[in-house]
Amino acid sequence: MTVNPVTHKAVLLLRPGKSPDDFTQQLRKTGRECFVHSFIEIEPLPVNKEQLTQIKQKHWDGIVIVSKNAAHYASRAGFSGVPSKYYAVGPGTASFACKHLNTAVSCPTFIHQSEGLLELSELQKLQQQNWLIIRGEGGRELLADAIRARGASVDYWEVYRRKQLTLNDPELIQQWINSVGTIVVTSAEQLGYFLSSMPNSAQSWLDSCQWIVPSHRLKGLIPFGQSDNIKVTGSAADAILMNALIADGKTHD
């Protein structure tokens, strides 16, 4: 594989979804091509009806919905309208959960990560409270560990799993190398699967790309020394990613 000496203006967006969508169409209006690819397939976990009944009957002082997929599959399983205070990490998930679970959902104003959620005043003193985290199979333990450390008990309800999708398409990889100058990735799993799918010959391209990520944690997982090439947005919300991409596009002009 070779890296052609061209001006790379295209964006590679690593997340579930199909192209074109509203985000990619909006980006293309700015004059930038966008490739969307996912190395993860989301599939629902079987519904444990006994567990769901217990969740509906138990008193919860707070319920955290970690992603749009968590809200989607919880709703599909029959979860809606359980009295509690609901929280999400960012505004995209909060809005989606509000619509699908028919309830108000709060989220941090600026830092759209677990760390930002944990800074909310309502989550500081949680002694003898019961909290539920709705999420996918596995994942970070930071949120649950912090809530427990503040005095609450925490239960998980896992409603979906992530399955790795393999990429065996050298022509597609070469197309990315020839066209892409900016890579956007919003999850550690996507990043890990993407990097493991790249041939050694793609290393110089990966080193030369601009990267846009939502967190410093994710930035630390990118194994390149050129940290100036990595922009941390503080959020995976579409509007914030779009602003970062528009600013990035100006550097290519």
Side-chain angles (χ1 to χ4, degrees), residues 147-209:
I147 292 174
R148 291 189 183 105
R150 296 172 185 183
S153 64
V154 178
D155 289 338
Y156 283 125
W157 183 30
E158 297 181 337
V159 294
Y160 66 94
R161 66 165 61 95
R162 308 166 192 85
K163 179 182 177 182
Q164 181 179 359
L165 298 175
T166 58
L167 175 62
N168 296 309
D169 190 344
E171 291 185 1
L172 178 59
I173 296 174
Q174 185 63 58
Q175 185 180 21
W176 292 346
I177 291 173
N178 291 341
S179 306
V180 169
T182 302
I183 300 172
V184 182
V185 58
T186 58
S187 82
E189 283 178 304
Q190 289 276 13
L191 174 63
Y193 294 151
F194 168 65
L195 293 176
S196 66
S197 299
M198 293 298 101
N200 292 334
S201 56
Q203 183 67 45
S204 61
W205 167 63
L206 295 170
D207 283 337
S208 69
C209 282

Side-chain angles (χ1 to χ4, degrees), residues 40-164:
I40 294 173
E41 181 180 35
I42 304 296
E43 57 185 19
L45 289 170
V47 178
N48 184 324
K49 294 184 178 181
E50 181 178 351
Q51 181 188 24
L52 179 57
T53 298
Q54 292 173 351
I55 288 171
K56 288 181 175 181
Q57 293 176 347
K58 186 172 181 177
H59 167 74
W60 302 105
D61 296 284
I63 297 176
V64 179
I65 303 149
V66 302
S67 66
K68 292 180 182 179
N69 285 316
H72 171 70
Y73 289 112
S75 173
R76 203 167 88 165
F79 178 87
S80 180
V82 177
S84 183
K85 294 181 179 179
Y86 287 76
Y87 299 88
V89 170
T93 297
S95 176
F96 187 89
C98 177
K99 177 180 178 181
H100 287 77
L101 299 180
N102 193 30
T103 185
V105 183
S106 301
C107 71
T109 302
F110 300 112
I111 304 174
H112 301 153
Q113 304 162 24
S114 296
E115 292 84 349
L117 186 61
L118 290 168
E119 290 183 3
L120 294 180
S121 59
E122 307 98 295
L123 275 75
Q124 300 311 303
K125 296 181 179 180
L126 307 176
Q127 288 84 357
Q128 298 183 336
Q129 293 189 10
N130 297 316
W131 281 68
L132 176 68
I133 298 178
I134 305 176
R135 68 174 192 172
E137 192 174 59
R140 297 179 74 192
E141 300 297 328
L142 171 67
L143 193 57
D145 287 347
I147 292 174
R148 291 189 183 105
R150 296 172 185 183
S153 64
V154 178
D155 289 338
Y156 283 125
W157 183 30
E158 297 181 337
V159 294
Y160 66 94
R161 66 165 61 95
R162 308 166 192 85
K163 179 182 177 182
Q164 181 179 359

